[in-house]
Amino acid sequence: MDKLAIELCGIKLKNPVMVASGTFGHGEEAAKFVDLDKLGAIITKTITLEPRQGNKPPRICETASGMLNSIGLQNKGVKDFLENRLPTLAKYKTPVIVNIAGESAKEFEELTKILNKEPLVKGIEVNISCPNVSKGGMLFCFDPRATRELVATVRKATSLPVIVKLSPNVTDIALIAKEAENAGADVISLINTLWGMAIDTNTHKPKLGNITGGLSGPAIKPIAIRMVWQVAQAVKIPIIGVGGIMTGADAIEFFLAGASAVQVGTANFVDTQAPVRIVEEIKEYLDSHNISHYKELVGKVTA
Amino acid sequence: MPIQEKCRILDHQKVAPFHFKITLVSKYISSHAEPGQFVNVRCSQDYDPLLRRPLGVHNVNPEEEIFELLYEIVGKGTELLSKHQVGQEIDILGPLGNGFDINKDKKVAILVAGGMGVAPLLYLAKFLRSTIHDPRSIHILIGTKTKELILAEKEFKTLTDNVIVSTDDGSYGKKGFVSDVLLETLDPRTIDASATIYACGPKPMLKAIAEIAFQKKIDCQVSMEARMACGIGTCLGCVINTTKGYQKVCDDGPVFDAKEIVWTS
Ligand SMILES: Cc1cc2nc3c(=O)[nH]c(=O)nc-3n(C[C@H](O)[C@H](O)[C@H](O)COP(=O)(O)OP(=O)(O)OC[C@H]3O[C@@H](n4cnc5c(N)ncnc54)[C@H](O)[C@@H]3O)c2cc1C
Ligand SMILES: Cc1cc2nc3c(=O)[nH]c(=O)nc-3n(C[C@H](O)[C@H](O)[C@H](O)COP(=O)(O)O)c2cc1C
Ligand code: FES
């Protein structure tokens, strides 16, 4: 098991496989299927200060080797999260990282301060990259200055590790990553979903109620790999790779590109066992390649 | 509590031009599935289609440890499923969702199926028949577009004599929509407001049934559909609009009280 243990910005992980925000509920819903104690970390569904009802349906549509979603950050708000959701995770040993979003830097700051006091929360993932909300979200990640100011605000509001989750919907991902690093981010996670759209040729209507949505799944993996690789050249802080990971081999690819850990998202919908299976598959890979610790692979792609 | 397991195919029959009945082996699902619940089926081992496809539990036989699904080929997932051979295994997640709320005090049950809506209603009819109801108090209405799409008629007829079949084009049984047939059946001389309507089918049909039930002050439960990703309540992708706000079809439903559905959206 030691082949997989790692400390990431002070958070001790038994393995580098986490579940991605929004694809695992708040953890407890999926606990019927997966032993949460076998996961590296649980990243909870984005929470906001106030409840959000989310976007109008349909919210999902399948595309070639992927899916579009336009959930729109539906959640019951931080109060409900702290009262009803977070306590259900107390019985597990796996670290809980809480993903947050807001419409203004002030909202992010307030949320961070509230979470800072919670002993169960081991880290904060700042979602500045959701393509499904009109205010906040992507507005921050498009703009290097807004990114820097927001990350600095969150940084000041907490002593917890700050993970900044980036959007792929930008021209220069390395530039945004550097801004986040300079503003005090401990870790960069990427990528969130790619902004996409699909149209029903029978009705001539968009397939999603929100018209556009975020693309995820195997279809986006090459883009995620490329971006992790680019960001790894640009920053010194660790990177968590996300995007289309279905197997242990996919995770290895992210390590080689420069990711120190990975998140499994859409794969959870296809196979409830995906994250634990991926841990096993990484182990098998290390054994069969005589590698003593997966960290030896990080950033080792040879051009 | 649902599980994910590989189920062996015991039988797989074409029952209409684009319709198949598949019999799967599972001790767990056959003994735990309730009428109105569904399973989420992985139709491909590959990534296309990627997501599982929800199908209602059509029949169970816990003694023989088998259950059945009845499905129509409408796209890639169901097409791939239809190619599976007896002896192969498929990856199933289930049983999922909240099934029909079977009200034991009600004396009369009216089951209304439109098109593929027969799938979950056969199991419901069997269940009602084996638990509480006198066969004379179970009324079954099956409506389809045309004669060759009528499914499970024989099976329903072994449960009760009160089976009324209708086709939109009049090629078999009564001519017209199943909702019109329902209005006739609801003749107060045969049925009073103590009945419960259980309906499954296309949304416009469910809406028409819900309106009739509302006017006649009869309880009505409808099985709703939505595009799904997880099927277990984690993705929030399958919501529909209800009087309680957005509700998840996969785990708040798929069966809802018809009065709670906001039909316009
Ligand atoms: C709870 C539940 C129970 C169901 N039970 C059954 C059943 O017992 N038997 C059965 O034949 N079907 C059932 N369905 C519908 C079935 O899930 C879809 O037909 C199937 O997912 C289509 O997959 P596909 O890949 O073949 O088609 P796709 O290529 O995904 O789609 C083909 C066409 O069908 C439409 N479509 C697909 N899925 C749905 C859906 N869920 N709702 C509305 N339109 C859809 C698409 O818009 C498209 O036009 C059920 C659906 C739900 C939500
Ligand atoms: C249905 C769905 C909901 C999501 N919700 C969130 C969310 O609330 N917050 C967030 O930061 N990312 C969210 N994501 C993005 C994922 O966490 C992940 O970054 C993305 O899907 C790419 O990874 P994947 O291809 O493995 O799914 C969501 C993705 C999906 C498919
Ligand atoms: S399908 Fe994911 S919440 Fe219903």
Side-chain angles (χ1 to χ4, degrees), chain A residues 20-23 45-46 69 71 73 99 127 165 191-193 216-217 220 242-245 265-266 269, chain B residues 235:
Chain A
S21 179
T23 64
K45 168 82 188 159
T46 294
N69 88 79
I71 310 300
L73 302 185
N99 180 300
N127 177 7
K165 186 168 181 182
I191 56 178
N192 207 316
T193 53
S216 65
I220 72 168
V242 203
I245 297 175
T266 301
F269 306 151
Chain B
C235 76

Side-chain angles (χ1 to χ4, degrees), chain B residues 2 13 20 25 27 62 64 102 104 131 138 144 149 155 167 173 183 198 208 248 253 263:
Chain B
Q13 301 279 339
F20 287 78
V25 181
K27 186 178 172 147
E64 293 179 30
I102 291 145
K104 300 198 180 190
T131 50
I138 303 178
T144 61
L149 299 178
E155 287 90 330
T167 50
L183 267 180
Y198 304 92
K248 291 174 276 183
W263 293 100

Side-chain angles (χ1 to χ4, degrees), chain A residues 62 200 202 207, chain B residues 18-20 36-40 43 49 51-58 68-81 96 116-120 151 200 223-228 238 249-250 253-255:
Chain A
E62 186 159 340
D200 185 324
N202 290 320
K207 288 191 177 176
Chain B
F18 297 98
H19 300 71
F20 287 78
Q37 285 193 304
F38 68 97
V39 295
N40 225 357
C43 299
L51 301 171
R52 290 168 181 271
R53 296 294 190 259
L55 295 174
V57 175
H58 178 54
E68 291 172 350
L69 307 173
L70 181 70
Y71 66 93
E72 177 182 7
I73 296 181
V74 296
K76 206 162 193 169
T78 44
E79 164 98 50
L80 274 171
L81 181 60
L96 300 169
M116 284 314 300
V118 292
L151 304 167
C200 184
S223 180
M224 301 297 288
E225 283 197 10
R227 284 278 162 160
M228 291 185 182
C238 64
V249 170
C250 73
V255 178

